Amino acid sequence: MSVSQTLTWQERIREQLQKGRAGAIGLLQEWVREASVQGQEAGIQQKIANHLVEMGLEVDVWEMTGDELEKLEKHAYFVSPRTEFSGSPNVVGVWKGTGGGRSLILNGHVDVVPEGERKQWTQEPFSGEIVDGKLYGRGVTDMKGGNLASLLAIQTLQQLGVRLKGDVIFQSVVEEESGGAGTLSTILRGYKADAALIPEPTNLKIFPKQQGSMWFRLFIRGRSAHGGTRYEGVSAIEKSMTVIRQIQRLEQERNQRMSDPLYAKLPIPIPINLGVIQGGKWPSSVSDLVTMEGRMGVAPGEEMEMAKIEMQAALQKLTEEDEWFVDHPVELEWYGARWVPGEVAMDHPLLARLQELYPSVFGEAAIIEASPWGTDGGLLTKLADTPSIIIGPGVTQVAHYPDEYIVLDDIFACAELFALTLIEWCELAD
Amino acid sequence: MSVSQTLTWQERIREQLQKGRAGAIGLLQEWVREASVQGQEAGIQQKIANHLVEMGLEVDVWEMTGDELEKLEKHAYFVSPRTEFSGSPNVVGVWKGTGGGRSLILNGHVDVVPEGERKQWTQEPFSGEIVDGKLYGRGVTDMKGGNLASLLAIQTLQQLGVRLKGDVIFQSVVEEESGGAGTLSTILRGYKADAALIPEPTNLKIFPKQQGSMWFRLFIRGRSAHGGTRYEGVSAIEKSMTVIRQIQRLEQERNQRMSDPLYAKLPIPIPINLGVIQGGKWPSSVSDLVTMEGRMGVAPGEEMEMAKIEMQAALQKLTEEDEWFVDHPVELEWYGARWVPGEVAMDHPLLARLQELYPSVFGEAAIIEASPWGTDGGLLTKLADTPSIIIGPGVTQVAHYPDEYIVLDDIFACAELFALTLIEWCELAD
């Protein structure tokens, strides 16, 4: 079927989405009110599973415990700060096709990062308040609004009586924010497809490439002393300042090398973020240890191991600046989350379809860029042979921010694009 | 009685101390093995109370709870990070004099700071191991060894059949390391004397003046963002580096003004120590808040309120360096511990007695300096009209350090000095 034929469906899809708009927004509010930070995902997953059952999908709900956990933990790509996942189920719903068409995974995560300092929010972080067409709440942009777009795409086609040849696999996973153990578990369970869409918050841009990233921890040593004679100790807090400057230099060096035109508009294509600092136990003691935790961006074509070596080398070079580090080297640990970088070929047919359909929905050409962050798409592309493209209605700038919000209209537009893409990719049944 | 008459006692005191040496060291080991960090002081206090009872002193053991706590918390000089003190009793033992002589308080604390990182210790922190005449352990220098010297001074005189005219008041308090609530409670309970000795770790120097200090907390704001687009946020960790540099400048300015000759040998007479830093919650988020906790030294003659104003002004000047601080000023909070600075007159008779007796014990003149840290002596001097002098056998350099130790010989020499001082100050009964 040609794209022009598909477009005859467009009006009907849009109309159907409008009919269901109020109900869909109510659903999103319910999802936001489930404050699904790490470990608290059971409530929203139950709601989603129930909804998928009502839609008539084949629904699979499982916790990563027992045998599942054992397999998971043995996998080379398993990373998580958690050792225990009970109470954090994954949910997959399959809309079986009639056979013969290409399959598509619609993958999204329900875990959200903590809300940060309440004071910086003008709305309650988990209220789902709507102001001027924007729905506010932690996780609404990253990425419950995107998940809703995926769900609406399937539901709308069903309501219009459409049957597709290929399978559509809706995945609602946990643990994306700490490295993808949820999606890895779907892969180990056998889920794969001919391609995947992941509606992470891209401002409706299309990301065929995505930055990888790894979490690290630094241990910076000092020597304790009484604060009243602090000159007799060595402050790990002061030494940390030297380490932070060195990390800033490393970030600069790595980014000067980035020549991929898809990153041209990003001020820092592969940032190194120092997100957590903690040191000292007593105000009147000199701190003997500071721990910092951060995230190192990895370029799409870069080997993660090479990036690790570069970080280690930069820390070793600290001795040139301060002799203290000769006998007290900064310890580096790679821990917790890791997102595999990923890319699909620039001539991939799913990318072509999205680019063709995009103007009919949005009235302008799609912007193609590289993702500034990792997503579960890296795992799907690399391990499940499922090339993954990232595009979603969320607002990049407010992901992980106070006053996170999403523009409601964008969710429905994205759902329209996804529904049209499903028809194109999976094909209408005869 | 003249000093020369007192010295006829010296040989007998020294001999008696030698006889009891093994038992005294065993007692100190027991005290060190009671890991009496904040909230864990009940065990050692029970041991001390029992010992004082055996010595025949009038023993007073109380917890700062109920009415005691109510009175305490209302007092202008009460500070503590705790709101609850049950399980942390104070102990006072009074060796009543026959009347007519001057009284003396021997004050010392049993709370110890946390041991810090275990790795930096070559000995177990609470083992009380003895190597080459040094006893190791957290709190042995600050200040259980000093407390032992006080106890031995009384015990030795008792064993020699001495009776004194003035009362000797042995105080074993909690909460010195966080601002003196223990000693404040002794004062509210009515304990005072004509003077006090506090055997904090001075390397056997005599400190007639002592630095005060105050704890403060700083809140440094950033703006959260996803680590992958960290340039869209403002890192509170990076802003903290600017704040740390400003505090370093303030410390420098304040110390350039210090002209008291008693501080001439200290590299930084009144340091500002930033002891604790904590910020961010997630490695891949830009941190929106860093909290730092520190200790600001206050000169003996300085008004604490003036020092506070100076700190506030320094933080306000941050706007000149970085516009961020205009709309996001660093918040300053004075909290937790505070040690009142203190000084006794340079011609105080207790100071004169100590200086006269010192050479007979140590074979050299006493070194008179100003204390680089606050002690409970500030409270005793200011609130209980009890001029307090600090001198003790502990090793200043290892207080609050890994491998804290004390030289055992110094404890016994200090006990000898204290016993002689008791005879001089409180006078032998007829």
Side-chain angles (χ1 to χ4, degrees):
Chain A
M1 185 159 48
S2 72
V3 167
S4 63
Q5 283 174 302
T6 306
L7 291 182
T8 61
W9 285 95
Q10 184 167 4
E11 278 307 310
R12 297 166 64 191
I13 289 168
R14 193 173 286 182
E15 199 182 292
Q16 187 61 39
L17 281 165
Q18 277 309 313
K19 274 193 210 161
R21 183 175 169 112
I25 292 170
L27 191 61
L28 185 56
Q29 284 180 311
E30 274 183 46
W31 288 359
V32 169
R33 286 166 191 160
E34 293 285 343
S36 50
V37 294
Q38 195 178 58
Q40 304 295 318
E41 310 91 341
I44 186 170
Q45 292 290 64
Q46 190 56 57
K47 284 201 160 78
I48 286 169
N50 292 346
H51 198 93
L52 298 177
V53 168
E54 281 169 29
M55 286 165 65
L57 273 54
E58 287 175 17
V59 178
D60 183 10
V61 179
W62 73 98
E63 290 193 345
M64 301 177 286
T65 54
D67 289 353
E68 291 285 345
L69 182 57
E70 209 173 308
K71 261 196 296 183
L72 198 63
E73 285 181 333
K74 277 186 195 145
H75 198 282
Y77 282 78
F78 171 76
V79 280
S80 176
R82 298 170 74 174
T83 54
E84 229 281 313
F85 297 91
S86 63
S88 297
N90 285 307
V91 176
V92 171
V94 180
W95 187 28
K96 285 298 285 181
T98 57
R102 287 174 295 200
S103 58
L104 190 76
I105 286 173
L106 296 167
N107 172 289
H109 66 87
V110 294
D111 53 311
V112 305
V113 298
E115 68 274 24
E117 214 197 356
R118 171 64 188 85
K119 262 199 207 168
Q120 300 205 17
W121 288 74
T122 63
Q123 308 291 327
E124 279 300 324
F126 295 105
S127 66
E129 212 61 54
I130 298 170
V131 182
D132 293 336
K134 296 172 181 170
L135 199 154
Y136 285 83
R138 168 58 77 232
V140 72
T141 252
D142 184 8
M143 58 177 287
K144 292 174 178 177
N147 297 344
L148 181 64
S150 294
L151 189 91
L152 291 177
I154 299 171
Q155 191 171 277
T156 303
L157 292 181
Q158 289 183 323
Q159 288 163 342
L160 295 174
V162 168
R163 293 299 317 271
L164 297 175
K165 289 183 179 168
D167 295 346
V168 183
I169 303 161
F170 180 89
Q171 302 185 330
S172 178
V173 301
V174 297
E175 286 292 294
E176 192 278 339
E177 293 291 357
S178 43
T183 288
L184 180 58
S185 181
T186 67
I187 294 169
L188 296 182
R189 215 168 163 89
Y191 290 106
K192 56 183 295 187
D194 293 312
L197 282 178
I198 304 186
E200 289 268 10
T202 71
N203 290 343
L204 293 166
K205 294 175 188 173
I206 299 175
F207 292 170
K209 298 190 183 186
Q210 62 169 56
Q211 191 188 129
S213 62
M214 312 181 276
W215 284 4
F216 60 93
R217 195 176 275 139
L218 302 175
F219 299 91
I220 298 119
R221 310 278 159 185
R223 195 176 58 232
S224 189
H226 191 293
T229 51
R230 73 171 193 81
Y231 38 84
E232 289 169 353
V234 175
S235 165
I237 293 174
E238 286 181 17
K239 294 300 173 194
S240 298
M241 294 170 69
T242 310
V243 176
I244 292 172
R245 279 192 300 269
Q246 183 75 343
I247 299 286
Q248 288 169 336
R249 272 193 294 269
L250 174 65
E251 182 191 60
Q252 207 174 8
E253 281 167 28
R254 285 172 54 76
N255 281 281
Q256 276 162 358
R257 295 197 304 252
M258 289 292 291
S259 56
D260 190 323
L262 288 193
Y263 279 109
K265 284 186 184 157
L266 299 185
I268 310 176
I270 46 170
I272 306 179
N273 183 64
L274 290 167
V276 179
I277 189 167
Q278 188 146 18
K281 290 186 181 169
W282 201 257
S284 60
S285 288
V286 174
S287 62
D288 59 3
L289 178 66
V290 166
T291 308
M292 291 199 288
E293 293 174 354
R295 169 205 184 274
M296 183 180 200
V298 183
E302 188 177 17
E303 279 301 319
M304 298 184 101
E305 287 309 313
M306 289 307 294
K308 286 183 183 177
I309 288 168
E310 231 177 358
M311 171 73 85
Q312 187 64 60
L315 294 173
Q316 269 154 8
K317 265 172 55 183
L318 280 166
T319 55
E320 294 170 17
E321 204 171 328
D322 185 340
E323 280 199 345
W324 172 258
F325 295 108
V326 176
D327 290 330
H328 307 86
V330 176
E331 265 178 68
L332 168 64
E333 178 182 301
W334 299 97
Y335 83 106
R338 180 179 56 196
W339 289 263
V340 184
E343 43 188 336
V344 303
M346 293 303 286
D347 61 356
H348 189 277
L350 180 61
L351 181 57
R353 288 297 159 280
L354 285 167
Q355 282 186 272
E356 283 165 7
L357 292 166
Y358 197 97
S360 71
V361 177
F362 296 102
E364 59 189 9
I367 298 173
I368 314 293
E369 277 183 10
S371 168
W373 13 256
T375 75
D376 283 353
L379 288 169
L380 284 168
T381 305
K382 185 151 193 144
L383 299 180
D385 198 21
T386 304
S388 303
I389 294 175
I390 320 300
I391 168 177
V395 183
T396 314
Q397 293 79 355
V398 296
H400 296 212
Y401 266 71
D403 274 346
E404 181 176 343
Y405 69 86
I406 198 164
V407 177
L408 289 169
D409 284 346
D410 289 346
I411 298 174
F412 294 94
C414 187
E416 182 182 322
L417 176 68
F418 283 8
L420 293 171
T421 305
L422 284 175
I423 291 175
E424 273 293 303
W425 183 258
C426 306
E427 285 180 68
L428 291 176
D430 301 323
Chain B
M1 184 161 46
S2 74
V3 167
S4 63
Q5 284 175 301
T6 305
L7 290 183
T8 62
W9 284 94
Q10 183 166 6
E11 278 307 311
R12 299 165 64 188
I13 290 169
R14 192 174 288 182
E15 199 182 290
Q16 187 61 41
L17 281 166
Q18 277 308 314
K19 274 193 211 165
R21 183 173 169 116
I25 292 170
L27 191 63
L28 184 56
Q29 285 179 310
E30 276 183 46
W31 289 358
V32 170
R33 287 168 192 160
E34 295 284 344
S36 50
V37 294
Q38 195 179 58
Q40 304 295 319
E41 309 91 341
I44 187 170
Q45 292 289 62
Q46 190 56 56
K47 284 201 162 73
I48 287 169
N50 292 347
H51 197 94
L52 298 176
V53 167
E54 279 169 30
M55 287 164 65
L57 273 56
E58 288 175 15
V59 178
D60 184 10
V61 180
W62 73 99
E63 289 191 345
M64 301 178 286
T65 53
D67 289 353
E68 291 285 344
L69 181 58
E70 206 173 312
K71 259 197 298 183
L72 198 63
E73 285 181 334
K74 277 186 194 145
H75 197 281
Y77 282 79
F78 170 76
V79 279
S80 176
R82 299 170 72 175
T83 53
E84 227 282 311
F85 298 89
S86 63
S88 299
N90 285 307
V91 177
V92 170
V94 180
W95 187 27
K96 286 297 288 182
T98 58
R102 288 175 295 199
S103 58
L104 190 75
I105 285 173
L106 296 166
N107 172 290
H109 65 88
V110 294
D111 53 313
V112 304
V113 297
E115 67 274 24
E117 214 198 354
R118 170 63 186 86
K119 265 199 208 167
Q120 300 206 16
W121 287 74
T122 63
Q123 309 291 327
E124 280 299 323
F126 294 106
S127 66
E129 214 61 53
I130 299 171
V131 182
D132 293 336
K134 295 170 179 172
L135 198 154
Y136 287 83
R138 169 58 77 231
V140 72
T141 253
D142 184 8
M143 61 178 286
K144 292 175 179 177
N147 296 345
L148 180 65
S150 295
L151 189 91
L152 291 177
I154 299 170
Q155 191 170 276
T156 303
L157 292 181
Q158 288 182 324
Q159 287 163 341
L160 294 174
V162 168
R163 294 300 316 274
L164 297 174
K165 288 182 179 168
D167 295 347
V168 183
I169 303 160
F170 179 89
Q171 301 185 330
S172 179
V173 300
V174 297
E175 285 292 296
E176 192 280 338
E177 293 292 356
S178 44
T183 289
L184 180 58
S185 181
T186 68
I187 294 168
L188 297 181
R189 214 165 164 91
Y191 291 106
K192 56 183 291 185
D194 293 313
L197 281 178
I198 303 186
E200 290 267 11
T202 70
N203 291 342
L204 293 166
K205 295 174 187 173
I206 299 173
F207 292 169
K209 297 189 182 184
Q210 63 168 56
Q211 191 186 128
S213 63
M214 312 181 277
W215 285 4
F216 60 93
R217 196 176 276 137
L218 302 175
F219 299 91
I220 298 119
R221 309 279 160 185
R223 194 177 58 231
S224 189
H226 191 293
T229 50
R230 72 171 195 82
Y231 38 83
E232 289 170 352
V234 175
S235 164
I237 293 174
E238 286 181 17
K239 294 301 173 194
S240 298
M241 294 172 67
T242 310
V243 175
I244 292 172
R245 280 193 298 270
Q246 182 76 343
I247 298 287
Q248 287 169 335
R249 273 193 292 270
L250 173 65
E251 183 191 59
Q252 206 174 8
E253 282 168 27
R254 285 172 53 76
N255 281 281
Q256 277 162 356
R257 296 197 305 250
M258 289 292 291
S259 56
D260 190 324
L262 288 193
Y263 278 108
K265 285 185 184 159
L266 299 184
I268 311 174
I270 46 171
I272 306 178
N273 183 66
L274 289 167
V276 179
I277 189 167
Q278 188 148 17
K281 290 187 182 168
W282 201 257
S284 59
S285 289
V286 175
S287 61
D288 59 3
L289 177 65
V290 166
T291 308
M292 292 199 286
E293 293 175 352
R295 168 205 184 275
M296 183 180 200
V298 183
E302 187 178 17
E303 280 301 318
M304 299 184 99
E305 287 308 313
M306 288 307 294
K308 287 183 182 177
I309 288 167
E310 231 176 357
M311 172 73 84
Q312 186 65 61
L315 294 173
Q316 269 154 7
K317 264 172 57 184
L318 280 166
T319 53
E320 294 170 17
E321 204 171 325
D322 184 341
E323 279 199 346
W324 173 257
F325 295 108
V326 175
D327 289 330
H328 308 86
V330 176
E331 265 178 68
L332 168 65
E333 178 183 301
W334 299 96
Y335 83 107
R338 179 178 56 195
W339 289 262
V340 183
E343 45 188 332
V344 303
M346 292 303 286
D347 62 355
H348 189 277
L350 181 62
L351 181 57
R353 288 296 159 278
L354 285 166
Q355 282 185 271
E356 283 165 6
L357 290 166
Y358 197 97
S360 70
V361 177
F362 295 101
E364 58 188 14
I367 298 172
I368 314 295
E369 277 183 6
S371 169
W373 14 256
T375 75
D376 283 355
L379 289 169
L380 284 169
T381 305
K382 185 149 191 145
L383 300 180
D385 199 19
T386 304
S388 302
I389 293 174
I390 321 300
I391 169 177
V395 183
T396 313
Q397 292 79 355
V398 296
H400 296 212
Y401 265 71
D403 275 345
E404 180 175 343
Y405 70 86
I406 198 163
V407 176
L408 290 168
D409 285 347
D410 290 346
I411 299 174
F412 294 93
C414 187
E416 183 183 321
L417 177 68
F418 283 8
L420 294 170
T421 305
L422 285 174
I423 291 174
E424 273 292 304
W425 183 259
C426 305
E427 284 179 67
L428 290 175
D430 301 324

